Amino acid sequence: VQLQASGGGLVQAGGSLRLSCAASGRAFSRYYMGWFRQAPGKEREFVASIPWSGGSTYYADSVKGRFTISRDNAKNTVYLQMNSLKSEDTAVYYCAAGARFGVLEGTYDYWGQGTQVTVSS
């Protein structure tokens, strides 16, 4: 599975962005998908995940209520809708795919290249 993240950019605090992660390869619909982010000088952290069925999404407390993860298996794409953005959301965002659910990086087998999100205050 190859993953290509896009949709990052510069946005003012309080604004919105939608990230996309396009997957190539077979059996995309069987993978759990996740989003992680890494801010400058910090470790990469879990943001959100979604199972292959699209149900039972899971979020980090820092983004709960503001971010929404979704997927379209017909398009082999997972999305991260980010609303009410804050300066602390500034980071490189990565999508990932794995055979099982998890919040740890090691759970995921495939990673996209990352897309930069910058939130100005």
Side-chain angles (χ1 to χ4, degrees):
V1 176
Q2 292 185 323
L3 304 174
Q4 179 76 35
S6 62
L10 174 64
V11 63
Q12 289 187 333
S16 299
L17 279 176
R18 188 177 80 157
L19 305 183
S20 299
C21 176
S24 60
R26 295 181 295 179
F28 167 80
S29 62
R30 306 300 291 183
Y31 284 97
Y32 287 82
M33 299 298 297
W35 285 97
F36 287 73
R37 67 185 182 185
Q38 187 168 22
K42 296 186 177 181
E43 294 184 352
R44 191 153 56 182
E45 64 176 3
F46 171 80
V47 175
S49 68
I50 187 168
W52 65 269
S53 65
S56 301
T57 53
Y58 189 77
Y59 299 92
D61 287 343
S62 59
V63 306
K64 200 172 296 183
R66 300 188 297 121
F67 290 12
T68 302
I69 187 172
S70 62
R71 67 189 295 164
D72 185 336
N73 289 338
K75 296 182 178 180
N76 280 9
T77 302
V78 64
Y79 304 98
L80 185 68
Q81 178 66 44
M82 306 185 295
N83 299 328
S84 302
L85 283 161
K86 306 175 182 179
S87 57
E88 51 263 45
D89 295 317
T90 294
V92 177
Y93 283 71
Y94 299 88
C95 59
R100 55 190 175 92
F101 168 77
V103 300
L104 300 177
E105 291 184 55
T107 306
Y108 296 86
D109 304 305
Y110 304 98
W111 291 82
Q113 86 290 358
T115 184
Q116 176 71 48
V117 172
T118 303
V119 183
S120 63
S121 57

